[in-house]
Amino acid sequence: MVCGTGVGASIAANKVKGIRAAVCRDIHSAHQCVEHDDVNVMCIGAQIVGPWLALDLIDSYLAAKFSTDEDFRRRVAKLHKMDADR
């Protein structure tokens, strides 16, 4: 999702059950949010991130895979439970 800063888009997306959205402004956060937190929506700020960086962020995000590390799996299971309890 894209908005001015990415923050508003992230807040709105996270209101939807099953969505885990994160604002990404750098390559590291673009892949790590998927690898560690199984984020399924990336939010980018059009006023913050230029077009070339945006393309790199998208490539990094789409190439990332959720980690098989048990700590991250356990963390995301807690997020699923929180979502189910709302």
Side-chain angles (χ1 to χ4, degrees), residues 22-35:
V23 178
C24 296
R25 296 185 179 124
D26 59 81
I27 300 298
H28 181 71
S29 62
H31 69 81
Q32 188 169 341
C33 70
V34 175
E35 293 168 356

Side-chain angles (χ1 to χ4, degrees), residues 20-83:
R20 279 178 312 287
V23 178
C24 296
R25 296 185 179 124
D26 59 81
I27 300 298
H28 181 71
S29 62
H31 69 81
Q32 188 169 341
C33 70
V34 175
E35 293 168 356
H36 291 191
D37 300 305
D38 201 23
V39 163
N40 53 16
V41 174
M42 178 175 62
C43 301
I44 298 174
Q47 297 169 348
I48 310 297
V49 172
W52 290 340
L53 178 54
L55 291 174
D56 289 344
L57 294 175
I58 292 166
D59 287 344
S60 181
Y61 175 83
L62 293 175
K65 302 291 180 229
F66 184 42
S67 174
T68 58
D69 185 286
E70 189 56 38
D71 289 338
F72 300 130
R73 297 280 171 164
R74 194 171 25 256
R75 177 191 305 168
V76 171
K78 289 178 185 178
L79 295 174
H80 283 291
K81 181 167 179 0
M82 290 171 64
D83 206 23

